[in-house]
Amino acid sequence: MEKIYSTLLTMPSNYVAMDENTMEYVEGGKGINLANSVSYLSRSACLTKAKSLKAQGYCINMSQTDVAKEIHAHAVILYLGVPAALAAVVAGAGAAAKGILDIANHGADGIDLDDNLDSGRVEAYNIVWYLGVA
């Protein structure tokens, strides 16, 4: 009986050992906390930053545009203020207001980008995308 168990626990001859960084890549991208910047009021700057982050293995489960929208929304709310963002909600859809207020409460702490869409805030990101500059 011992021989059966030891045979079951033997690694196959063609296995590959992975370190933690490789496992992150296989399982999904890694998250990052970005310092907020006035430059992120520009949608094009956000798209460029998102492209760079994705090339480095961050946020691989999100599209480049989704990453850019999240970065941009944090900058708009921090630098242009909640009233400007809420005005966009009134013009668009009211459900994004909670997301905007949540972003405002944490905006100065930096931009926490995980590897998945922040479903509670996506509507806010989409509406705020049209504030700031191209």
Side-chain angles (χ1 to χ4, degrees), residues 67-92:
V67 174
K69 284 180 177 182
E70 186 167 344
I71 294 168
H72 182 71
H74 281 80
V76 165
I77 291 166
L78 181 64
Y79 297 110
L80 299 183
V82 173
L86 290 176
V89 170
V90 170

Side-chain angles (χ1 to χ4, degrees), residues 5-101:
Y5 287 120
S6 65
T7 303
L8 291 175
L9 297 175
T10 303
M11 296 297 288
S13 60
N14 61 350
Y15 80 96
V16 176
M18 290 188 219
D19 63 12
E20 184 177 336
N21 290 333
T22 305
M23 283 301 293
E24 283 181 355
Y25 183 74
V26 171
E27 292 177 351
K30 48 193 174 185
I32 188 171
N33 182 282
L34 297 176
N36 220 327
S37 169
V38 174
S39 66
Y40 296 147
L41 290 173
S42 162
R43 291 185 294 279
S44 61
C46 292
L47 287 165
T48 300
K49 183 64 174 180
K51 182 178 182 179
S52 171
L53 289 170
K54 289 185 67 58
Q56 296 172 50
Y58 295 100
C59 308
I60 64 169
N61 291 320
M62 296 169 66
S63 74
Q64 179 180 327
T65 302
D66 288 333
V67 174
K69 284 180 177 182
E70 186 167 344
I71 294 168
H72 182 71
H74 281 80
V76 165
I77 291 166
L78 181 64
Y79 297 110
L80 299 183
V82 173
L86 290 176
V89 170
V90 170
K98 182 182 181 310
I100 287 172
L101 294 174

